[in-house]
Amino acid sequence: MKKLIFKNLTEQFQFESAMAGVKTVAFGNLFVLLLILVGNSGKIEWISIGSFCGMSGGLILVINHFYNWARPTINLLVLLIYILILILELNILGIPTPLTESSAYNYYGKGMLLEMALYLVPFIYVGIRTVLIIPLVIIYYRALKLQPIQPN
């Protein structure tokens, strides 16, 4: 990997901060996968929410290990692949079903706050996956702002 040369310390700090954000994307997806595995007793199917989280997190983690995020075209490609994986997941599986099954016959009174929280879990999941796009957009923007400095 070539060493990057920055115009000033501010540009270097912003770029390194954006690179840390990309690590957040990888570990955020893997954390969601871990939560899914705990909720499913360590089992996931081939085409499931867990497999899409693992695929997204693993892809970003591997790319982050071998690539320095300095080329905007490759960053845009990674961003588009991540968005494509998310769109495929939502088209194939849809939004996950709520964790609560409220029925008039089987209501045990768990509490309204718990019922609301369990109902919101699928929407929180989709929100987390969608928000994890932002660091990839930021690293793309920071790579666009990088201008190579020509040695004298």
Side-chain angles (χ1 to χ4, degrees), residues 113-133:
L113 191 59
L114 180 62
E115 291 283 331
M116 286 175 30
L118 291 176
Y119 181 76
L120 290 176
V121 166
F123 302 107
I124 293 170
Y125 165 77
V126 172
I128 289 171
R129 289 290 309 266
T130 305
V131 166
L132 289 175
I133 293 172

Side-chain angles (χ1 to χ4, degrees), residues 12-85:
Q12 180 180 359
F13 174 75
Q14 289 173 341
F15 190 79
E16 289 174 356
S17 176
M19 285 180 60
V22 172
K23 289 179 186 174
T24 303
V25 173
F27 289 115
N29 278 294
L30 295 176
F31 181 72
V32 170
L33 172 64
L34 178 70
L35 292 177
I36 291 169
L37 286 173
V38 168
N40 291 337
S41 301
K43 300 175 188 173
I44 58 171
E45 296 176 17
W46 174 245
I47 296 181
S48 66
I49 293 169
S51 63
F52 281 105
C53 283
M55 196 179 348
S56 299
L59 176 75
I60 299 296
L61 193 63
V62 168
I63 289 172
N64 190 46
H65 184 70
F66 292 108
Y67 174 60
N68 68 356
W69 300 98
R71 293 187 185 162
T73 53
I74 295 175
N75 296 356
L76 181 62
L77 180 67
V78 171
L79 172 66
L80 293 176
I81 289 172
Y82 184 86
I83 292 172
L84 180 69
I85 290 172

Side-chain angles (χ1 to χ4, degrees), residues 88-103:
L88 282 174
E89 174 187 357
L90 292 177
N91 280 336
I92 293 171
L93 301 173
I95 295 176
T97 57
L99 298 177
T100 180
E101 297 290 330
S102 60
S103 167

